[in-house]
Amino acid sequence: MSEATIAVTGATGRLGARVAHRLAEAGLPQRLVVRDPSRAPELPGAEVRRAAYGDRAAALDALTGVDTLFMVSGAESAERVAEHRTFIDAAVAAGVRRLVYTSFFGAAPDATFTLARDHWATEQHLRDTPLAWTFLRNNLYLEMLPLFAGRDGVLRGPAGDGRVAGVAIDDVADVAALVLREPGRHGGQVYELSGPQALTLEQVAEIITFVTGRETGYHDETVEEAYASRAGYGAPDWQVEAWVSTYLAIRDGELATVTDTVERLTGVAPLTLDDLLRLG
């Protein structure tokens, strides 16, 4: 096929796959850049290339001929920022002109949620390149909130009565596809994406109980309890800190702002947690 002008990373994951399907439905040629081509979706007008974020040579080959790149942030790891920089630098060398990056709500060097600092570092690297960029700063995915509950149906974390304005993955995908269809209109924009409600975790538990019938509750841990309850997972320190700081960011109000960005850009109101659970 002719060289694609749009490249989509993460097409084997929840967000990237949705974006790729939307672009295919719009009849746009694209290149799916994935680590495992055998898992890539088969879509009309799509070609597949193998590349990992930390592999500069493979990334350079995969991105040559691409005009606009949709970069889904890499898997959480201690090396993620370095891998992001390698991939971005390869995109510049390959001649990519525009990059749309999935960042995190309120990304900042002093964000309470430690991984939001990684996103800020990636944003800063992009600002220092010649690329025209757009940042999609997503709040916590609504789909994650039910997964916070343990097997006993209790959400545990030191979030207090703080609120989170989670956003559905489908709504983020709608915004991403819109931006990718006309990237020139969105250059230099930072889009903070939230759902339509800011909920406490107690309210989250009540909604899950009401909609699904699964009895769910919330236990407001102390910070000490939060670290102790996660110590048995054998995760590295940076990962445990990231888990705990997610709740602390909610407690401190850093994820509570409800924005109108999804509806303003797409013309459709974003999904609520109730909507999402009823959709199954």
Side-chain angles (χ1 to χ4, degrees):
M1 62 176 290
S2 61
E3 289 189 326
T5 59
I6 300 175
V8 175
T9 71
T12 60
R14 295 177 298 173
L15 176 58
R18 285 170 166 83
V19 172
H21 276 87
R22 283 161 171 74
L23 295 179
E25 290 166 1
L28 297 175
Q30 59 184 312
R31 182 176 298 168
L32 308 182
V33 180
V34 297
R35 289 178 298 174
D36 182 358
S38 69
R39 297 178 54 221
E42 295 184 9
L43 298 172
E47 60 178 336
V48 179
R49 298 286 183 88
R50 182 198 300 271
Y53 283 171
D55 187 338
R56 177 182 170 85
L60 183 60
D61 179 68
L63 297 176
T64 297
V66 167
D67 179 79
T68 300
L69 171 61
F70 179 58
M71 181 179 173
V72 178
S73 56
E76 298 174 1
S77 76
E79 295 77 36
R80 178 161 67 164
V81 174
E83 291 176 351
H84 281 178
R85 289 171 176 158
T86 296
F87 192 72
I88 290 165
D89 291 347
V92 173
V96 174
R97 296 173 57 208
R98 301 180 177 90
L99 192 149
V100 180
Y101 173 67
T102 62
S103 186
F104 191 78
F105 206 81
D110 58 350
T112 298
F113 178 41
T114 55
L115 298 185
R117 303 171 197 171
D118 289 356
H119 289 289
W120 178 85
T122 300
E123 288 185 1
Q124 294 308 111
H125 189 70
L126 275 163
R127 291 176 189 271
D128 290 337
T129 72
L131 293 164
W133 49 262
T134 305
F135 302 147
L136 306 184
R137 288 183 172 177
N138 312 322
N139 206 303
L140 284 180
Y141 290 143
L142 280 179
E143 288 84 352
M144 289 182 58
L145 297 181
L147 302 180
F148 282 2
R151 293 181 180 179
D152 59 357
V154 178
L155 288 77
R156 289 182 173 83
D161 58 0
R163 295 175 180 270
V164 55
V167 63
I169 297 174
D170 272 323
D171 289 322
V172 176
D174 286 341
V175 171
L178 180 147
V179 170
L180 291 168
R181 285 195 293 269
E182 296 184 279
R185 295 184 55 191
H186 303 278
Q189 296 299 307
V190 178
Y191 292 131
E192 303 270 357
L193 305 180
S194 83
Q197 301 169 310
L199 303 171
T200 67
L201 292 191
E202 185 171 354
Q203 289 174 319
V204 169
E206 291 172 351
I207 291 169
I208 294 171
T209 300
F210 178 76
V211 176
T212 70
R214 299 192 305 269
E215 191 65 35
T216 306
Y218 168 57
H219 172 63
D220 181 22
E221 292 181 310
T222 65
V223 174
E224 293 74 17
E225 286 174 334
Y227 277 102
S229 66
R230 291 156 178 80
Y233 290 106
D237 291 345
W238 69 264
Q239 182 71 76
V240 176
E241 186 178 10
W243 290 339
V244 175
S245 66
T246 304
Y247 295 92
L248 297 179
I250 296 172
R251 181 198 68 184
D252 294 347
E254 295 181 14
L255 304 182
T257 302
V258 173
T259 71
D260 68 348
T261 311
V262 171
E263 185 166 9
R264 176 165 51 85
L265 292 177
T266 68
V268 179
L271 296 170
T272 66
L273 179 60
D274 187 295
D275 294 332
L276 189 71
L277 293 170
R278 292 184 188 281
L279 288 171

